[in-house]
Amino acid sequence: MKKLINDPDAAAAQAIEGLALAYPQYLRKMDGQMAVVRRDAPISGKVAVLTGGGSGHDPMFAGFVGPGWADGSVAGHIFTSPAPPPIYETAQAIHGGAGVLFLYGNYAGDVLNFDMAAEMLAEEGIQVSTVRFAHDVASAPPERRAERRGIAGDFFVIKVASAKAEERASLDHVTAAAAKANDNTRSMGVALTSCVIPASGKPIFEISDTDMEIGMGLHGEPGVQRGPIRPADDVAADMMRRILADLPAKAGGEVAVLVNGLGATPLSELFIMFRTAFRSLSDAGLSVVRTYVGNFAASLDMAGCSFTVMCLDSELKRLLLAPAESPAFVQTA
């Protein structure tokens, strides 16, 4: 293992500290916690959006905290859910009196710990609503869509919910916007290599130098197909075929598309993959309104990428395109 770290067990905490030091115009670190909040939090009368999960997915989640983005993000150690106390304390720090929306991945540890924190907040009279990211088509069939996991499409859900909260909408309306974004988003990834967790110094799974796995999750969860590496166009077409078969879209509709790197994939390769994704959407009669290409939800140093497509209506389009600023992404009007 070759990494620019100090103590492997402190890598996640030191990364959060460095992020806060690098971008004080957007956020500040919570004292004693692996958590960051908006510099101007709490904002009176505004629904507070709190996201988070295990570390190792940079810039997800802490990189998307700031004006027009989430109000706070709480991190666990690498690939590990944050515990209830820091979730509870971060929610308290950003609560402006209009309630808190929890946005997090549909993983057992996150569900348990965020739900426990929500119960603690409820005892104090703080209203909490929850939307769990669930848009990876490889993780469960359509009839069990609620069991799906979240990957890079979390970006779209956080952006939409945060923009709705910025409009001073009620907690119910912000929650509904997040749920709509989640319901209209579909994702799928492909992994070429494993990644190495600093604390162990070893790959989290084995895959041969000549193989790839379509549908693999951010933590090495099994995909839908493992086999020899194929040309980028073939891989991209296969992934888009599976996404389009599941996507609630009709010809003539508008979409946003995100091609996400998993941590060790050059930007040039992501653009090569995007070519086929764009053509697949165009061939399906869909108009691409906005594109995003880069690292949005990594898996440490894994090689590979994921595709995400979100179907847009007038509300989702307005909220997605609303101005926002954070360490990882700035969008102007």
Side-chain angles (χ1 to χ4, degrees), residues 90-296:
T90 306
Q92 282 185 315
I94 63 176
H95 181 237
V100 182
L101 172 62
F102 281 179
L103 297 176
Y104 58 86
N106 195 20
Y107 298 95
D110 289 318
V111 172
L112 177 66
N113 291 341
F114 275 89
D115 282 357
M116 190 175 299
E119 294 174 1
M120 296 163 64
L121 292 163
E123 292 177 358
E124 295 194 0
I126 297 177
Q127 188 177 4
V128 177
S129 184
T130 294
V131 173
R132 298 178 184 125
F133 306 124
H135 46 78
D136 180 3
V137 301
S139 54
E143 62 271 18
R144 291 171 25 223
R145 189 158 54 86
E147 300 175 19
R148 288 177 171 172
R149 62 196 172 214
I151 49 176
D154 302 359
F155 170 86
F156 286 150
V157 183
I158 296 169
K159 177 64 181 70
V160 165
S162 300
K164 191 72 173 181
E166 207 73 34
E167 295 178 347
R168 300 303 190 269
S170 69
L171 180 59
D172 286 346
H173 287 146
V174 174
T175 304
K180 182 198 280 191
N182 197 52
D183 290 344
N184 281 278
T185 297
R186 300 292 186 275
S187 301
M188 176 173 275
V190 57
L192 306 181
T193 69
S194 180
C195 59
V196 177
I197 295 177
S200 69
K202 299 177 181 179
I204 60 173
F205 62 88
E206 296 296 331
I207 186 169
S208 78
D209 291 341
T210 58
D211 280 351
M212 64 193 306
E213 184 154 354
I214 291 178
M216 181 172 286
L218 289 175
H219 313 105
E221 299 94 341
V224 295
Q225 179 183 347
R226 180 177 287 201
I229 294 176
R230 294 179 278 145
D233 286 350
D234 290 350
V235 178
D238 188 1
M239 291 167 60
M240 288 305 302
R241 176 182 58 80
R242 296 172 189 266
I243 288 173
L244 286 167
D246 202 284
L247 195 70
K250 297 180 180 178
E254 295 183 321
V255 298
V257 58
L258 184 156
V259 178
N260 170 65
L262 297 181
T265 303
L267 194 57
S268 59
E269 295 180 21
L270 300 181
F271 284 127
I272 291 171
M273 294 289 282
F274 175 75
R275 292 166 58 255
T276 300
F278 184 87
R279 291 170 183 168
S280 296
L281 293 166
S282 297
D283 290 345
L286 298 172
S287 175
V288 178
V289 171
R290 183 58 63 94
T291 61
Y292 306 84
V293 180
N295 284 350
F296 294 84

Side-chain angles (χ1 to χ4, degrees), residues 30 33-37 50 71-74 85-95:
M30 289 276 292
Q33 303 289 359
M34 293 196 328
V36 293
V37 299
L50 178 65
D71 296 87
S73 172
V74 58
I87 300 171
Y88 165 76
E89 292 178 20
T90 306
Q92 282 185 315
I94 63 176
H95 181 237

